[in-house]
Amino acid sequence: MTVMAERTSSQMSVDVFDRISEFAERVDDTVRLEFIDGRIGVKKVTNGDHGSIIMWLIRQCMRARPELDLNPTQGLKVEAYRRGRARPDGALAPVGHFAGQGDWAETRGVLMVVEVTSYDSDTHNRDRGEKPHAYAEAGIPVYLLIDRDSLSTLVHSNPDPEDGYRDIHVVKLGGKVSLPDPVGIELDTEELKQYID
C-alpha cells in the first residue's frame, strides 16, 4: 500500500471529499482515497506480501471467532464527529455488520482495525500517528499494527478520544500476540516472518 498525501485546506468538508472519492473510483477502480487529519491520501494496490499478511490474519480470525468477519475493503467514518474517512487493511466486526452501510460505515460495532505498514515515506505519519489517533477518537477498541519495518506487531487498546490509545503492547514477529477483549484472539506470528520483504 502506497499513500501519496497532500495538504488540503482545513475548510474541505467531508461532503467534498466524498464527491472527489466517488469520482476517482469511477475513473480508476484501483484507486481508493482516504481523508484523515485534513489530508487526502491515495491508497494504491498492495504487493503480494502485504496481501498475504492480510489473508493470513483473515484465516486466523475465522478459525478463532467464526461469528466475526475481518473485512479488507470496508471504509470507515473516523475521527471525532466522524469527519475523517479511512480504509483500514481490515475491520473486524460481527458477520453481516457492514451490510447496507455503503462505502463509509460507522465505527459503532467495529471491534478492531488492522493496518500493515508499507515501504513508503508516509507510512510513519499515517500508520503510526494519524490513523491510530483517528481510530481511538472513533472509539474502536483495538488497533493492530503489523509493522514490517520494525519486524513487530503493536496492539493498541484502551482508546481515549483525546489522548489516543492508552495501552500499546509490542511483540516481535515470531512471538505470540494476545488481542484483548472484545477481540479475545491469540495469534502466533511466526508465519508472518516469511512475508517480510
Side-chain angles (χ1 to χ4, degrees), residues 105-135:
E106 295 290 337
T107 57
R108 190 176 321 109
V110 174
L111 307 179
M112 177 178 73
V113 287
V114 178
E115 296 289 354
V116 177
T117 59
S118 298
Y119 299 116
D120 64 52
S121 61
D122 199 40
T123 199
H124 177 73
N125 289 334
R126 186 183 61 252
D127 294 336
R128 298 180 190 110
E130 294 168 354
K131 282 193 172 184
H133 198 269
Y135 294 147

Side-chain angles (χ1 to χ4, degrees), residues 50-69:
H50 185 283
S52 294
I53 291 170
I54 298 303
M55 292 309 298
W56 174 85
L57 192 54
I58 288 171
R59 287 191 304 276
Q60 302 311 306
C61 290
M62 287 177 68
R63 284 185 197 126
R65 300 283 308 270
E67 76 280 13
L68 301 176
D69 280 337

